[in-house]
Amino acid sequence: MKFNPMTSKGFLSIGGILLILLAVLGFVLPGGAVLGDLLWFSTAENVAHLVLGVTALAALYIIPANLHKPLIILVGVIALFFGLYGFILPQNMVGKGFNTFGVANLESPLENLVHVIVGAWALYVAFMAKGEAMAKT
């Protein structure tokens, strides 16, 4: 299967697969260290990645294509929020298990950067893709 990452179908497919892969790696690697000290995930984050990945893939088949755009906008806004919020956390809280709203630990700058990139990708797909491309994906 080949998906254009700049379409709703591509975003949901590739994003869903990547999230599931991150979750599996987080579960099986010691300490959830996907990239050693640069990027690691707690069990709760792994569960969230797994649920979000399965949800993204299921959305391709369960919800109508015209609802993909609002879903992708929601993902983009949430990812950007957590990414940017992670960068403004007081430095004495970063890496010390500080939990953001009971949802994300945001332990590393790389984790924040990944959230910002995913958020920007989602919003680009939602708003910059042509109307036809969003409807036909």
Side-chain angles (χ1 to χ4, degrees), residues 1-18 53-73 121-122 124-126 129-137:
M1 268 189 268
K2 183 178 177 186
F3 298 109
N4 178 349
M6 296 303 163
T7 64
S8 61
K9 187 174 187 177
F11 177 83
L12 292 170
S13 309
I14 295 167
I17 291 167
L18 289 175
V54 169
T55 301
L57 294 177
L60 288 169
Y61 304 101
I62 294 173
I63 67 170
N66 66 328
L67 295 179
H68 289 175
K69 182 175 181 175
L71 175 62
I72 292 170
I73 292 169
W121 175 29
Y124 180 87
V125 167
K130 302 292 182 220
E132 282 290 307
M134 285 298 289
K136 289 185 178 180
T137 57

Side-chain angles (χ1 to χ4, degrees), residues 77-126:
V77 169
I78 291 170
L80 273 178
F81 170 79
F82 280 105
L84 296 173
Y85 186 75
F87 281 120
I88 63 169
L89 281 174
Q91 286 303 307
N92 63 341
M93 294 181 169
V94 175
K96 300 202 180 186
F98 179 74
N99 191 286
T100 306
F101 309 119
V103 178
N105 291 330
L106 306 173
E107 297 107 343
S108 89
L110 181 58
E111 187 174 354
N112 299 328
L113 181 61
V114 168
H115 282 105
V116 168
I117 290 168
V118 169
W121 175 29
L123 295 177
Y124 180 87
V125 167

